[in-house]
Amino acid sequence: MGRSMTLTELKYIFAVARERHFGRAAEACFVSQPTLSVAVKKLEEELEVKIFERSAAEVTVTPLGQEIVRQAQVVLEQAAAIKEIAKRGKDPLAGPLRLGLIYTIAPYLLPDLVKQVIERARQMPLILQENFTVKLLEQLRLGEIDAAILAEPFPDTNLAVAPLYDEPFVAAVPRDHPLAARDSVTVDDLKRETMLLLGNGHCFRDHVLQVCPEFARFSDHSEGIQKSFEGSSLETIKHMVAAGMGVTLVPRLSVPKGALEGAGAPAEGDAGYVRYLPLAGEPPTRRVVLAWRRSFTRYEAIAALRNAVYACELPGCRRLT
């Protein structure tokens, strides 16, 4: 009796196609590389086609393999939908909700959000993870998470999306910087400074470059004070600002409590070495949304999560309903 392909094998070939590397694909699937490689090889033998071209330098997907990988993604999505259908007869708030958040939202929203969910839906514990937008979108499609809190824009993936809040940007400058004596700053003021940016992969980096596109040109040059430096997290960037290495823009929820109340206001967590300033005029903002698969049937769980977000303090943000 012949063997049949498995969902696990389809997950493996999707991961290899995404990573273009067997080792990284195995790591993403939480298996050893030999286990993944053997499974992929068996699938190729069963189908009697070559899905991947292997070389010492890289792994590429064959033209026929690309069609197979696309169909594998469809099958994986449908398999995740079957699990959701099976939950329809149960309490939609009973059981964990797997929630992903991008790195520049999670540390500042989660403490309050978890508290609100516990108060409103104790039977629905959150299983949380932080990641980049592109990774969270993939996990949503594959059913590895149930929902994600992201910042627009992101690629249209046929997900259901509900707006949560608009969050303004705030300037962060060293406490002894000449700009620190002001009540507010302009975008033009920042363009004359050393801008500290998040590294590639962070959508907030793209948001800052939309506000100050000039810094994209200077990121690879070392002349003048307009050179931009990169950090791995917003908190790293803040410490660089505190050390006098430059200025930056941060989302409003990342500003320590009380730090926008005046030049003498203490900046909790920054040891008082960072001054946070609003941007004059209409400040740039980012729209934060909740995204989930259209096949996800726990509508009450999504509604409970949205209500929990709306119940959060969200200082300086505009709630969207």
Side-chain angles (χ1 to χ4, degrees):
M1 185 174 180
R3 68 179 294 278
S4 297
M5 71 182 74
T6 66
L7 291 176
T8 298
E9 290 170 343
L10 298 183
K11 181 179 179 181
Y12 289 170
I13 65 170
F14 183 82
V16 174
R18 180 186 65 211
E19 301 292 342
R20 295 292 198 273
H21 190 277
F22 277 83
R24 290 195 297 271
E27 183 178 345
C29 294
F30 303 102
V31 297
S32 67
Q33 183 172 338
T35 297
L36 182 140
S37 298
V38 168
V40 172
K41 186 64 175 176
K42 286 183 177 180
L43 181 58
E44 289 180 318
E45 291 173 353
E46 177 186 349
L47 298 177
E48 298 181 344
V49 298
K50 182 174 285 189
I51 301 174
F52 301 107
E53 292 286 355
R54 301 156 173 85
S55 70
E58 63 177 355
V59 175
T60 58
V61 188
T62 65
L64 187 58
Q66 290 177 351
E67 294 185 40
I68 292 173
V69 170
R70 281 196 295 269
Q71 189 61 36
Q73 180 179 346
V74 173
V75 173
L76 291 169
E77 290 175 353
Q78 292 175 338
I82 291 174
K83 294 181 180 179
E84 298 302 335
I85 293 171
K87 296 176 183 176
R88 284 179 177 172
K90 303 177 182 179
D91 179 0
L93 294 183
L97 183 74
R98 299 169 298 173
L99 178 64
L101 303 94
I102 58 175
Y103 290 114
T104 57
I105 291 178
Y108 315 111
L109 179 63
L110 277 180
D112 200 0
L113 177 59
V114 170
K115 174 185 174 184
Q116 299 298 337
V117 170
I118 290 174
E119 291 180 358
R120 288 164 171 74
R122 183 175 293 273
Q123 72 274 38
M124 188 184 75
L126 296 179
I127 298 177
L128 303 165
Q129 69 167 278
E130 300 175 71
N131 218 318
F132 295 111
T133 298
V134 64
K135 292 290 187 180
L136 293 177
L137 291 174
E138 287 180 2
Q139 291 175 321
L140 273 177
R141 289 196 298 269
L142 296 177
E144 295 175 357
I145 58 175
D146 302 316
I149 295 180
L150 311 167
E152 290 185 332
F154 49 83
D156 182 9
T157 54
N158 199 32
L159 295 169
V161 176
L164 295 175
Y165 56 88
D166 285 340
E167 181 178 20
F169 301 165
V170 174
V173 304
R175 175 65 67 170
D176 57 358
H177 193 283
L179 292 176
R182 300 189 185 182
D183 293 328
S184 64
V185 295
T186 66
V187 171
D188 286 338
D189 292 330
L190 300 179
K191 290 177 181 178
R192 293 188 287 269
E193 303 296 331
T194 300
M195 177 61 73
L196 307 177
L197 298 173
L198 285 170
N200 287 319
H202 291 277
C203 61
F204 192 73
R205 170 194 173 92
D206 300 327
H207 296 156
V208 172
L209 290 177
Q210 288 175 2
V211 177
C212 302
E214 294 81 1
F215 292 113
R217 301 201 314 266
F218 295 110
S219 61
D220 295 324
H221 296 281
S222 59
E223 295 180 0
I225 61 173
Q226 289 175 306
K227 173 179 169 57
S228 64
F229 296 84
E230 297 180 358
S232 59
S233 71
L234 280 178
E235 294 309 306
T236 299
I237 293 290
K238 289 181 182 181
H239 286 297
M240 294 167 70
V241 172
M245 296 179 65
V247 305
T248 194
L249 291 176
V250 298
R252 176 62 179 84
L253 292 188
S254 74
V255 176
K257 186 176 180 180
L260 282 171
E261 295 177 358
E268 298 177 6
D270 293 321
Y273 295 114
V274 177
R275 173 85 161 98
Y276 294 94
L277 299 163
L279 293 173
E282 187 70 22
T285 63
R286 66 173 178 179
R287 175 152 295 183
V288 175
V289 302
L290 178 64
W292 66 96
R293 291 183 308 282
R294 295 185 184 277
S295 61
F296 188 66
T297 58
R298 296 173 64 191
Y299 308 118
E300 293 85 350
I302 294 296
L305 182 61
R306 291 183 67 187
N307 290 335
V309 173
Y310 295 143
C312 292
E313 193 170 338
L314 303 180
C317 298
R318 183 168 68 92
R319 290 171 175 80
L320 303 170
T321 57

